[in-house]
Amino acid sequence: MPRAPTQQWVSDHSGATGSATVIRATPAEGGRGECRTIQNVAQRGAQQESTTQEFCEATPGAGDWQAI
């Protein structure tokens, strides 16, 4: 899978800003669909927070990604 570009975002509620970037994509367990590791960076005022989370497709090709 080619790397997706970084997606920028702005919160409708708090005004925080940030980005989400796919940093790794691997076949899902059993070879059905794929899993992606996402790096999220959020900026709230002067504070920046970075987290990573993995998502896998529940049904290959259906677009129903679930955090694991």
Side-chain angles (χ1 to χ4, degrees):
M1 180 205 98
R3 280 204 173 165
T6 297
Q7 297 295 307
Q8 303 294 324
W9 55 266
V10 177
S11 170
D12 292 341
H13 303 286
S14 68
T17 60
S19 62
T21 304
V22 176
I23 57 174
R24 182 177 56 197
T26 58
E29 194 172 304
R32 294 181 41 123
E34 74 177 6
C35 293
R36 296 179 184 177
T37 303
I38 308 296
Q39 180 179 31
N40 296 294
V41 179
Q43 185 77 34
R44 295 179 188 99
Q47 294 187 344
Q48 181 173 316
E49 181 181 333
S50 179
T51 61
T52 56
Q53 189 167 10
E54 189 170 13
F55 295 86
C56 293
E57 289 180 289
T59 306
D64 54 347
W65 296 89
Q66 296 181 353
I68 60 167

